[in-house]
């Protein structure tokens, strides 16, 4: 009696033909959603799970991660980068000697402007242990006053309620930070004896740090306000040129204004700037090169009519693109709404 045993061996499937990759000068085509999920399982968790056609027209630089195309903007002047620079400048001011500012104001400023990773570390187990051990040392040994500020910062962040920490990254938090920064800058320049003495050898480091923090807070507030309105912001450039105070126009046309515009233009040539940050540079350049016939419109009825027309058009754009008057006064848009309303009312008063 014989038993025959047959084994069914699977035959190898032919490999699927490779699809030709489309050659595009801008960005490679977006993969299907399944490929994106596969890449997300591999560890690229930051990739989106839906197709996003961000690469149309090659408006942003692109690179590849796995089989997915990632389009991103430059991070030279991104908000996280500016937060790191602001935190570093605040740390310098903690220890700086050539300034007369009230340094405890740096503690809430650091809590509002520090990078998210720093705040997360302070609130983690390692941060709590560090604050606990530093507090024990402080109880039994004398610590210099400047070293108490970092400890106070860690304790403030650790015990701050979530309602306070939720101000980070909002317009309200940016306004509070800018107010603190402006007060510290006023204290520094008045107590050092003026702008000239603030750049002496003993105070130049603190002066640069304060200027850095002030500029960064202005930029962050501008970026937050820019997200809350849908107006065509280029119209603000001629509006500012027609309505700015004579002292501002004189400063722009003086020796300091061209130097500021020149240095800003050099930075613009080598580093990409967000669109909102180009508007101040364009404003300075427009005022600097404007012929006298245009600047003579300032303070006249013709200039007031042009300014009112621009302000009315911007107000119309803002209220229509935010979804009406009711939504324009939401928390995210109320500051931009108040600013546009103020500009419109002032131009109406100046005309009549």
């Amino acid at each position: 009696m014989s038993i025959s045993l047959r084994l069914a061996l699977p035959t190898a499937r032919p490999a699927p033909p490779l699809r030709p990759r489309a050659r595009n000068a801008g960005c490679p085509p977006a993969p299907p959603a399944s490929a994106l999920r596969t890449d997300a399982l591999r560890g690229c968790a930051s990739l989106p799970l839906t197709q996003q056609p961000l690469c149309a027209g090659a408006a942003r630089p692109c690179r590849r991660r796995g089989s997915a195309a990632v389009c991103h903007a430059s991070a030279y002047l991104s908000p996280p980068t500016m937060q790191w620079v602001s935190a570093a400048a605040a740390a310098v001011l903690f220890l700086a000697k050539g300034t007369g500012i009230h340094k405890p104001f740096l503690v809430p400023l650091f809590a509002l402007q520090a990078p998210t990773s720093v705040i997360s570390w302070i609130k983690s187990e390692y941060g709590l242990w560090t604050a606990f051990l530093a507090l024990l040392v402080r109880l039994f040994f004398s610590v210099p006053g400047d070293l108490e500020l970092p400890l106070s910062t860690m304790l403030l962040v650790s015990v701050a309620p979530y309602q306070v920490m939720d101000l980070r990254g909002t317009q309200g938090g940016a306004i509070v930070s800018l107010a603190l920064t402006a007060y510290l800058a006023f204290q520094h320049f008045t107590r050092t004896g003026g702008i000239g003495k603030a750049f002496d050898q003993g105070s130049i480091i603190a002066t640069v740090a304060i200027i850095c923090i002030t500029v960064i807070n202005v930029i962050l507030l501008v970026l937050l306000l820019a997200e809350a309105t849908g107006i065509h912001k280029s119209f603000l450039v001629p509006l500012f040129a027609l309505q700015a105070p004579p002292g501002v126009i004189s400063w722009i046309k003086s020796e300091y204004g061209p130097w500021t515009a020149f240095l800003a233009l050099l930075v613009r040539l080598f580093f990409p700037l967000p669109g909102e940050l180009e508007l101040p540079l364009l404003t300075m350049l427009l005022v600097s090169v404007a012929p006298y016939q245009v600047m003579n419109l300032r303070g006249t009825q013709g200039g007031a009519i042009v300014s009112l027309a621009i302000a009315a058009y911007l107000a119309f754009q803002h209220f229509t693109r935010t979804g009406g008057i009711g939504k324009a006064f939401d928390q995210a848009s109320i500051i931009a709404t108040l600013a546009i309303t103020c500009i419109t009312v002032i131009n109406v008063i100046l005309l009549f």
Side-chain angles (χ1 to χ4, degrees):
M1 182 176 180
S2 62
I3 299 175
S4 61
L5 183 62
R6 296 181 180 180
L7 298 176
L9 297 176
T11 58
R13 282 187 180 181
L18 296 175
R19 290 182 297 177
R21 181 181 297 175
R23 296 182 178 270
N24 191 355
C27 298
S34 60
L36 290 175
R37 292 189 182 94
T38 304
D39 284 335
L41 293 177
R42 291 175 186 170
C44 300
S46 61
L47 294 178
L49 296 180
T50 57
Q51 297 181 9
Q52 297 181 355
L54 295 177
C55 300
R60 294 181 180 181
C62 303
R63 57 187 175 89
R64 296 189 63 83
R65 184 186 294 174
S67 60
V70 180
C71 300
H72 56 90
S74 176
Y76 287 118
L77 284 176
S78 62
T81 304
M82 290 188 286
Q83 286 179 344
W84 276 107
V85 176
S86 178
V92 170
L93 288 175
F94 277 147
L95 306 175
K97 298 294 184 183
T99 181
I101 62 173
H102 197 195
K103 292 185 179 179
F105 282 101
L106 293 170
V107 176
L109 181 63
F110 184 90
L112 289 173
Q113 292 294 324
T116 306
S117 57
V118 175
I119 299 298
S120 299
W121 184 86
I122 293 175
K123 285 183 169 292
S124 66
E125 186 178 359
Y126 298 103
L128 295 177
W129 270 103
T130 304
F132 172 73
L133 295 176
L135 192 58
L136 280 180
V137 173
R138 171 66 181 83
L139 290 175
F140 297 101
F141 300 97
S142 59
V143 178
D146 293 338
L147 296 182
E148 287 190 356
L149 292 177
L151 174 59
S152 300
T153 304
M154 296 187 67
L155 294 176
L156 181 72
V157 172
S158 299
V159 303
Y162 70 91
Q163 292 92 342
V164 176
M165 299 308 293
D166 284 346
L167 287 175
R168 289 172 44 84
T170 63
Q171 294 179 7
I175 292 174
V176 173
S177 301
L178 184 58
L180 292 173
T181 306
Y183 177 68
L184 291 176
F186 172 77
Q187 273 193 330
H188 175 74
F189 286 108
T190 53
R191 295 184 179 181
T192 53
I195 297 179
K197 294 184 179 180
F199 286 93
D200 289 344
Q201 186 175 1
S203 305
I204 187 171
I205 296 178
T207 302
V208 172
I210 287 179
I211 292 175
C212 182
I213 291 179
T214 306
V215 171
I216 286 176
N217 279 277
V218 171
I219 293 174
L220 290 176
L221 180 59
V222 170
L223 293 178
L224 287 172
L225 292 177
E227 296 175 357
T229 180
I231 64 174
H232 195 189
K233 298 182 183 66
S234 298
F235 284 98
L236 293 172
V237 177
L239 182 62
F240 183 89
L242 290 172
Q243 294 296 326
V248 176
I249 300 299
S250 300
W251 182 85
I252 294 176
K253 286 183 170 292
S254 67
E255 183 180 359
Y256 299 102
W259 267 106
T260 305
F262 172 73
L263 295 176
L265 192 58
L266 280 182
V267 173
R268 172 65 184 85
L269 291 175
F270 296 101
F271 300 99
L273 297 177
E276 290 79 9
L277 297 185
E278 290 188 351
L279 292 179
L281 173 61
L282 292 176
T283 303
M284 297 188 67
L285 294 176
L286 182 71
V287 173
S288 300
V289 302
Y292 71 92
Q293 293 92 341
V294 176
M295 300 307 294
N296 284 340
L297 287 174
R298 290 172 44 84
T300 63
Q301 189 173 11
I305 293 174
V306 173
S307 301
L308 181 59
I310 295 175
Y313 176 67
L314 293 177
F316 171 76
Q317 272 193 331
H318 175 73
F319 286 109
T320 53
R321 295 184 179 181
T322 53
I325 297 178
K327 293 184 179 180
F329 284 92
D330 290 343
Q331 185 177 1
S333 306
I334 186 171
I335 297 179
T337 301
L338 292 177
I340 290 177
T341 304
C342 181
I343 290 175
T344 308
V345 171
I346 288 176
N347 280 279
V348 171
I349 294 174
L350 291 177
L351 180 61
F352 297 102

